[in-house]
Amino acid sequence: MSAQNPAGGPLLDGPADPEHDPRASYALEPEYAQNLTRRILASSGETAPVESPLNGQPVAHIPQSSDADVREAVARARRAQESWARTPLAERSAALLRLHDLVLDRQEEICDLIGVESGKARKDAFLELAHVALTARYYARTAHDHLDSRRVPGMFPGLTHVEVHHLPKGVVGIISPWNYPFTLALCDGLPALLAGNAVVIKPDSQTVLTALLGAELLEQAGFPRELWQVVAGPGREIGTPLIQGVDYMCFTGSTATGKLIAQQCAERVIGCSLELGGKNPILILRDASVEKAAEGTARASFSNAGQLCVSTERLFVADQIYDRFVERFVARTQAMTLGANLDWAVDMGTLISSDQLETVTAHVADAVAKGARVLTGGRARPDLGPYFYEPTILEGVTPDMTCFGHETFGPVVALYRFHDEADAVARANAGEYGLNGSIYSQDGSRARQLARQIKCGTVNINEGFGSTFGSLAAPMGGMRESGMGRRQGSEGILRYTDTQSVATQRGVRIGPSYGLSQEQYAKAMTLSLRLLKKLGRA
Ligand code: NAD
């Protein structure tokens, strides 16, 4: 494994001889890890070990936060937020633009750390930091569009003056998953900061260091250190004190956990956004370019070894091109390179854990036992690393099989043939998820029409997921059990604000005046309502 960090060389070059080098058994230099873990608010004295999924090498011991630590983190964040909310918007935006440059400048270090902690291919790690840069630039450049106070028409033109303000909620809690540990730790928090909030984040226990590197970059970009608090520990233990302390929750993870979070937020009547699971379909229409569809579908299904909320697990292919498509898709999939290293040459890295490997293995075994055919893949690859699994294409998947409707969250995709498009849309819409869908067709306007029938929060045409995910002005999130609320776009920042309307009444009051009785006032009101409608007022 080659792992160099140009910003200081903290990563070791693979296991060395522990007898001569006390740090040799660690995948990272202990000083590097400790420098990051110092940011965790943790007084319990307990630590949890983290291993690299690349090869099982120890990475670090992560200090664990107690309930009291979480409460203290929220209190510190609250204090920091008070002065941050008074910081001019131009200064907050400038810090985001500095973050943009920092993540690009330190990309080698970021990619190395993401690779060591999550085991993903370097190209997938790079997309994380690119997404953070895109998010930072978009919100920095559009801050005024979303956050400026605005005049709206009042009840009586000229007499009722109304302004609408977007006030920060206060402290935003973030619980993030392991699959995109850099961008999912940062991208939801950036608009929260820009809107004048503080953040307390609890990243997944397997990828805390990557989230901590994000926190370090935020501080270097100019955000006050206390404004972004990091706590660490099992979600089922410290999730509740976090939800009990904050003013809004942003959760990304499984639908099962999302429902628990939503219940706790409902108890406190605080808002939450939930970015949850999916069983995402691609429709390949009869006029699609087979070559482009095969290439795009392989990327959509096997990016990050399929551990991507918007990746594809169901492929509906038109009868007319089915055989040609399958041949190209299988060939492309078989040509993919797998590897446990931090090099650009790897197409697909490893699953992150034994739990993930178990789920993927069980889904494929269940499908095969019930009659599905494996067109390629279908095997774990312990020769490459402890949790590797081959990119796998299944045919003949039926509703009685687990992987028909349940999210696998791994490199497994099922092929289905269709005869007419209405039937394909109905099958794509079946089930309880509705996160991301795609359509391949050479007829853009027909595909766009069809897209409106797909019950997913995002639909990409001639691309798997990147077009919507990378278009920051476009809101992104799930329908049905794939979530509620949106990241990106105006929705992605306004969720962190409370809207306040301030109306100033001048001249006449809202009620009888100038000696009018209630009845005369009602008549005058009726006249004015009719007049305002005639004048075209909203
Ligand atoms: P998970 O729900 O188990 O864990 C996600 C986070 O929630 C972790 O930080 C975990 O510690 C925390 N958590 C777990 N139980 C908790 C509890 N009871 N209270 C509070 N916090 C708790 O999810 P996972 O399996 O680690 O992640 C994969 C899932 O996330 C997949 O279903 C995937 O589709 C989904 N996901 C969705 C998106 C999206 O944007 N829609 C993005 C990435 C992942």
Side-chain angles (χ1 to χ4, degrees):
M1 181 176 88
S2 107
Q4 299 300 323
N5 169 28
L11 303 178
L12 287 182
D13 212 334
D17 175 6
E19 287 208 1
H20 297 101
D21 182 354
R23 302 172 308 185
S25 60
Y26 284 90
L28 299 177
E29 282 187 11
E31 294 82 6
Y32 179 74
Q34 280 156 16
N35 198 31
L36 291 173
T37 56
R38 261 195 283 278
R39 280 178 186 273
I40 301 172
L41 219 158
S43 62
S44 69
E46 286 173 26
T47 60
V50 174
E51 290 179 353
S52 174
L54 288 173
N55 51 15
Q57 225 183 340
V59 174
H61 287 266
I62 307 294
Q64 300 293 286
S65 308
S66 64
D67 284 18
D69 293 325
V70 175
R71 285 195 293 274
E72 174 60 19
V74 174
R76 288 186 190 184
R78 207 170 280 296
R79 284 194 293 275
Q81 190 267 336
E82 281 169 19
S83 52
W84 179 246
R86 293 191 296 272
T87 306
L89 195 51
E91 273 182 44
R92 298 186 223 153
S93 300
L96 276 187
L97 290 175
R98 286 192 294 271
L99 179 76
H100 171 278
D101 294 346
L102 270 173
V103 299
L104 296 181
D105 291 347
R106 287 177 62 180
Q107 58 179 279
E108 297 304 328
E109 177 188 3
I110 298 168
C111 285
D112 284 349
L113 184 56
I114 294 174
V116 167
E117 253 194 337
S118 73
K120 68 176 60 182
R122 195 169 196 81
K123 67 176 180 44
D124 296 324
F126 175 78
L127 286 185
E128 292 208 47
L129 67 93
H131 190 245
V132 170
L134 280 167
T135 306
R137 170 162 56 87
Y138 168 73
Y139 280 116
R141 293 266 156 84
T142 57
H144 287 285
D145 301 345
H146 309 300
L147 297 174
D148 280 358
S149 298
R150 64 184 197 283
R151 283 276 307 272
V152 297
M155 182 172 174
F156 294 118
L159 301 176
T160 320
H161 172 279
V162 187
E163 282 174 331
V164 175
H165 307 295
H166 299 291
L167 309 180
K169 292 240 176 220
V171 180
V172 170
I174 295 179
I175 296 183
S176 59
W178 45 264
N179 62 330
Y180 275 71
F182 190 65
T183 190
L184 293 179
L186 283 177
C187 73
D188 284 305
L190 301 184
L193 295 181
L194 185 70
N197 299 283
V199 167
V200 180
I201 178 170
K202 191 216 82 64
D204 189 275
S205 299
Q206 296 165 96
T207 51
V208 176
L209 295 179
T210 303
L212 288 165
L213 179 56
E216 180 184 304
L217 294 170
L218 283 169
E219 188 184 351
Q220 282 181 15
F223 293 97
R225 186 180 173 108
E226 295 288 289
L227 197 63
W228 185 276
Q229 301 284 332
V230 183
V231 291
R236 62 184 178 283
E237 287 173 23
I238 61 169
T240 299
L242 180 62
I243 298 166
Q244 280 169 352
V246 299
D247 306 301
Y248 185 88
M249 270 306 301
C250 168
F251 172 77
T252 305
S254 64
T255 296
T257 309
K259 289 179 181 178
L260 296 175
I261 305 276
Q263 283 165 11
Q264 295 176 67
C265 290
E267 279 293 316
R268 291 200 52 230
V269 199
I270 61 168
C272 62
S273 53
L274 307 170
E275 306 288 345
L276 309 176
K279 190 75 190 171
N280 307 306
I282 290 187
L283 273 62
I284 301 174
L285 308 188
R286 63 178 178 277
D287 67 346
S289 151
V290 166
E291 198 53 48
K292 279 188 190 153
E295 185 277 328
T297 303
R299 247 185 317 116
S301 306
F302 306 126
S303 281
N304 206 34
Q307 304 166 117
L308 168 59
C309 55
V310 287
S311 71
T312 303
E313 297 196 359
R314 299 182 297 150
L315 277 180
F316 299 91
V317 186
D319 218 6
Q320 294 88 339
I321 59 167
Y322 186 89
D323 294 336
R324 279 192 297 133
F325 171 79
V326 171
E327 187 201 318
R328 292 307 305 139
F329 182 42
V330 168
R332 279 206 162 262
T333 303
Q334 287 172 342
M336 287 175 65
T337 53
L338 276 60
N341 61 56
L342 306 182
D343 295 343
W344 288 101
V346 169
D347 291 322
M348 198 179 102
T350 174
L351 298 172
I352 195 168
S353 62
S354 57
D355 280 359
Q356 278 294 105
L357 180 61
E358 225 169 83
T359 307
V360 171
T361 307
H363 278 207
V364 174
D366 167 78
V368 171
K370 290 171 181 163
R373 293 172 299 284
V374 176
L375 300 191
T376 186
R379 289 185 310 156
R381 291 292 300 272
D383 54 314
L384 298 174
Y387 314 127
F388 271 84
Y389 199 92
E390 289 179 342
T392 300
I393 304 174
L394 299 177
E395 204 178 39
V397 170
T398 48
D400 56 323
M401 301 174 189
T402 311
C403 72
F404 181 84
H406 289 89
E407 184 185 40
T408 304
F409 213 55
V412 180
V413 65
L415 280 165
Y416 305 95
R417 198 185 272 267
F418 73 83
H419 304 284
D420 80 277
E421 282 168 12
D423 171 53
V425 169
R427 288 157 73 191
N429 284 339
E432 63 269 20
Y433 290 118
L435 189 59
N436 179 58
S438 319
I439 299 172
Y440 275 83
S441 164
Q442 297 195 60
D443 183 342
S445 72
R446 199 162 63 91
R448 280 191 290 277
Q449 255 178 342
L450 209 59
R452 296 170 65 119
Q453 298 172 34
I454 306 277
K455 292 183 191 162
C456 288
T458 48
V459 181
N460 293 268
I461 292 165
N462 294 329
E463 169 60 40
F465 55 82
S467 308
T468 50
F469 210 83
S471 301
L472 268 291
M476 186 259 155
M479 294 184 186
R480 303 185 283 177
E481 291 213 357
S482 287
M484 60 186 213
R486 295 287 180 268
R487 61 166 59 109
Q488 306 192 169
S490 248
E491 284 97 324
I493 186 164
L494 291 182
R495 63 185 156 154
Y496 301 127
T497 65
D498 276 319
T499 304
Q500 183 192 50
S501 302
V502 178
T504 310
Q505 192 61 28
R506 294 186 281 232
V508 295
R509 59 179 191 236
I510 313 279
S513 52
Y514 306 114
L516 290 181
S517 68
Q518 288 289 359
E519 193 181 356
Q520 288 165 328
Y521 176 71
K523 282 193 178 135
M525 268 297 278
T526 305
L527 265 179
S528 85
L529 288 171
R530 290 195 200 287
L531 180 67
L532 289 172
K533 179 179 174 247
K534 264 208 181 102
L535 293 172
R537 294 273 303 194

